[in-house]
Amino acid sequence: MLHVFGVIGKVLGTFLLVMLITGIILACFAMAYIKQVILPQAHLDANFDMNLTSTIYYMDSSTGQYVEHLSLHGSENRELVTYDQIPQNLINATIAIEDERFLTHNGVDWKRTLNGVLLMFTGKDIQGGSTITQQLIKNVTQYDDVTVKRKILEIFTALDFDATYSKEQIMEWYLNYIYLGDGCSGVATAAKNYFGKEVSELSLAECASLISITNNPTLYGPNSSIRITNEKTGEVTTGRERNKERQELVLWKMKELNMISEQEYQEAVAEELVFTRSEDESKPTTIYNWYDEQVITDVINDLMEEKGYSQTLAENTVLSGGLKIYACVDTRIQSIVESVYYDQNSLKLPSKKGQDIQSSIVIIDPQGNVVGLAGALGSKDANRVLNMASGTVRQPGSSIKPLSVYAPAIELGLITPASVYADEPVRVLNGKNWPLNNPQTYRGDITVETALEVSSNPVAVRILEEMGAETSFNFVEENFHIDLEDYYLSNGEVKNDYGSSQLALGGLTHGVSVMDMAAAYSVFPRDGTYLEPRTYSKVTREVNGVEEVLLDNTNTEGEVILSTRTTYYMNEMLKNVVTSGTGTAARISGMTVAGKTGSTTANNDRWFVGYTPYYTAAVWVGYKTPERIYANNNPAAVMWQKVMSQVHEGLANKDFTEASGLTTVQICKDSGLRATDACRSDPRGDRVMQVSVFPEDAPAENCGSHVLVEVCTESPIVDADGNAVSGLYHLAGEFCPREANEAQGITQGTVTSIGVLTGNTGDSQYTKAYLESQGSCTVHTSETKPEDPTEYDPSTFRLEDQSTWPTQEQWPGFNPEDPSTYPTVSTEPSPPPTTEPTDTPEPVITPSPTPPPEETPSEEPYIPAGG
């Protein structure tokens, strides 16, 4: 028997020895594996990036302080909070339900870990046992494979992490990182989403409700739409009911761990949870307004341009980089823009093909801030859609003229507002006069001021060609910062923007954006300084607790591109466009407005770019797919007025900057030179205008266009229908009486027709050549014999009644100041008749004048009878 036991003992000993040796060998292998494989991967630095919500701020005009306006986020909506901003109740609730020994273990709860190992040996999944530290590590490393290696690596990483960082740091990171459903990452975002509060303001009951979500956001989220039916009872529970059940479990656990008292527990259980949305209310989709979307686009583009970011990196940084973006929006103005532009009924002009009319607007203040904009007309139902204020270009038509023709020509000293050019065809193209005006009339010689006011196409072309297309091209690109096309190959044809049609008439190869037009025109009220339009002033982000500037857009010095001389002239002329020219629809009662209209040849695009001393705004109107616009007036000017009249409510009227040292001079409208008497006696009326110019621009020469000619006012010139042409008479002939003659100032006729005229040619008949072609007076064709004066009856004379006085022909020598010359009737009796004739006639007695007394001659003028 002893032998048997001895054998058994040897076997057992051998087995145990083998097991021991095997265990030692395995332990050695395990130690080697841990040392060589696990430990090198076990260290984790806490410099992991969390996807953070970026925030747009705007300045509150009433306080001058920046306030939070909008939160931006990509796939994760997260705001960071520090440990001291987190309520102790929320920290305790997290420990109670997630890891009750968190404050005492070293990163691994061995009791729960061994339980997990036992589950492994029973053939079940490795689960449970994860501490808050392990969950944080799992979340930030994004490893979710459930393997022995993964579990071992997680344990050793947790041990290392806990030894490296404090419990407060680990808890802060965990609560900022966890997902809490409804698109919320971190407790700060979730607190605002579910309760509409800052996380620091949460009550005990709300803290327990919030942390209850972490177990399974799909099931325990208060806004979960999932309904679960109990198979035994048939009871159906909602997400809000399940959240309440788990909240009470958390509170009970907190009471059990002596984190709260019985009274606190009872009060928290009884507290009604008030959520921001009703149970069946879906979470509203955030639709950015046009301005916010422009800010996002601008920051992305600037990160790519200034920092060299890729498109993807720039977008991720803006949406999930925790940026603080300080916007330049004026919320009052933006709300006005939206009230007009979100309403499709603000402009009803359906196209022939059934398209709704479209429009966009950009408003800029004197500091270069874009204070309001809209990228389309009608409701905005989606994000990152086509923005027709900045994302498209359209042909500007005549609205380009101040930028490409008039401003550069004045700046270069080629013209002044008083310069005169011919509003007549420049040349004949394809058998037709070019360019046409709209309407198709020509006005003859007109001043530059008038040409801009009526939007003369020929004058713009003449000035451009005198200046040179290349000069204009470079000026627009380099000074107004509008991109033009210098080479574009389309269907084998080379196109560019160096021609008169492009630069003088606005038919650009591609076009220009509303944003660029607003920025360019804002130079005029800013006295010649160009500022790049900006939607944000700066972008910052927090790095190691310090807010650093990522993008700085605060430069407001700008670039001086025009002299004050040029801007003064442009402001004065563009004011006339609104008061009496093509832009009258944009007038604002009690406010100084200047601007320019624009329309393209096919009338597919309509523009009005206008400004006041307060703001500049550009408006485009057209169809998304270009079609002809049929409207009685300029719809762009109408939309401009609808918005800007509200923007300027309550603002005092003021003018643009006044120029100093101006001189006033009278010039002739037809020559631009100093006016003469001939200019004042033009048959069309006084052709003299008074202008205020800088001394160097005052003309030195007198008008040579007008000459005085004698006409007979009794011989009017008639047209083909026999109607008298206003103010025109035949030239005076040799037989015309002096009293019918009149000296008129007639132009020499500097405008010469170059081809087939289209429509009315303006005042071309009011020229010397035209009058000469009509010949001399047709009324007085021969000498007339003077008529004998009517015999005067002296008995009718009454000194007090001038109408009874005789003319000098009727009573020679009559002088109302000399009684001796008054007409008298003879008082001598007539001799008696004789019966016999005599050869000697009786003498006739006539009154002889009495010599006047000698006295000082009267200073009163001589007044003839009947005068």
Side-chain angles (χ1 to χ4, degrees), residues 386-519:
L386 179 63
N387 184 330
M388 287 180 277
S390 61
T392 61
V393 293
R394 294 293 181 116
Q395 290 187 351
S398 292
S399 63
I400 198 71
K401 291 174 182 175
L403 310 178
S404 59
V405 176
Y406 294 106
I410 293 174
E411 187 70 12
L412 296 172
L414 298 178
I415 63 171
T416 73
S419 300
V420 170
Y421 284 83
D423 180 40
E424 292 289 346
V426 177
R427 48 184 159 270
V428 175
L429 294 178
N430 300 320
K432 296 181 179 179
N433 287 306
W434 183 90
L436 294 175
N437 277 324
N438 184 19
Q440 295 183 18
T441 59
Y442 296 110
R443 303 169 183 84
D445 288 336
I446 58 175
T447 64
V448 163
E449 181 177 344
T450 301
L452 184 54
E453 180 180 324
V454 300
S455 198
S456 165
N457 288 330
V459 171
V461 170
R462 291 178 191 277
I463 296 174
L464 177 89
E465 295 185 352
E466 180 181 332
M467 176 171 50
E470 186 174 353
T471 299
S472 171
F473 183 102
N474 293 335
F475 199 98
V476 172
E477 279 212 325
E478 296 171 7
N479 291 276
F480 289 114
H481 300 271
I482 293 175
D483 289 333
L484 301 177
E485 183 60 65
D486 57 1
Y487 181 88
Y488 179 69
L489 189 62
S490 175
N491 297 323
E493 180 182 358
V494 175
K495 297 182 178 181
N496 58 52
D497 287 332
Y498 283 105
S500 297
S501 294
Q502 298 92 315
L503 292 170
L505 308 183
L508 299 179
T509 303
H510 302 299
V512 62
S513 73
V514 178
M515 181 75 76
D516 286 345
M517 288 295 281

Side-chain angles (χ1 to χ4, degrees), residues 639-799:
M639 290 297 288
W640 192 96
Q641 202 277 342
K642 282 187 177 183
V643 173
M644 298 301 283
S645 59
Q646 297 182 63
V647 168
H648 286 81
E649 284 183 2
L651 296 178
N653 188 25
K654 60 181 180 179
D655 206 344
F656 304 111
T657 302
E658 289 290 335
S660 60
L662 295 175
T663 183
T664 301
V665 60
Q666 291 185 328
I667 66 164
C668 173
K669 296 178 182 180
D670 299 304
S671 67
L673 302 177
R674 289 184 178 272
T676 65
D677 289 339
C679 306
R680 295 182 176 87
S681 57
D682 190 289
R684 293 165 293 178
D686 191 343
R687 302 298 290 172
V688 178
M689 63 183 293
Q690 185 169 287
V691 295
S692 294
V693 294
F694 290 89
E696 62 269 27
D697 296 324
E701 300 177 37
N702 289 334
C703 173
S705 175
H706 280 93
V707 292
L708 285 173
V709 296
E710 291 286 330
V711 297
C712 180
T713 57
E714 296 181 3
S715 179
I717 294 176
V718 297
D719 59 20
D721 298 325
N723 299 316
V725 180
S726 177
L728 286 184
Y729 303 95
H730 288 92
L731 295 172
E734 62 175 315
F735 302 117
C736 295
R738 181 175 297 279
E739 61 268 19
N741 288 3
E742 181 177 300
Q744 284 190 334
I746 297 295
T747 64
Q748 300 270 29
T750 57
V751 176
T752 303
S753 174
I754 51 84
V756 180
L757 292 178
T758 303
N760 185 2
T761 58
D763 295 341
S764 59
Q765 70 268 41
Y766 291 94
T767 64
K768 183 179 180 183
Y770 179 80
L771 257 64
E772 290 175 344
S773 70
Q774 300 301 306
S776 298
C777 173
T778 59
V779 175
H780 307 105
T781 57
S782 61
E783 185 176 3
T784 57
K785 184 178 180 181
E787 297 181 359
D788 294 331
T790 304
E791 185 177 356
Y792 180 70
D793 182 1
S795 65
T796 63
F797 175 75
R798 299 288 185 274
L799 181 63

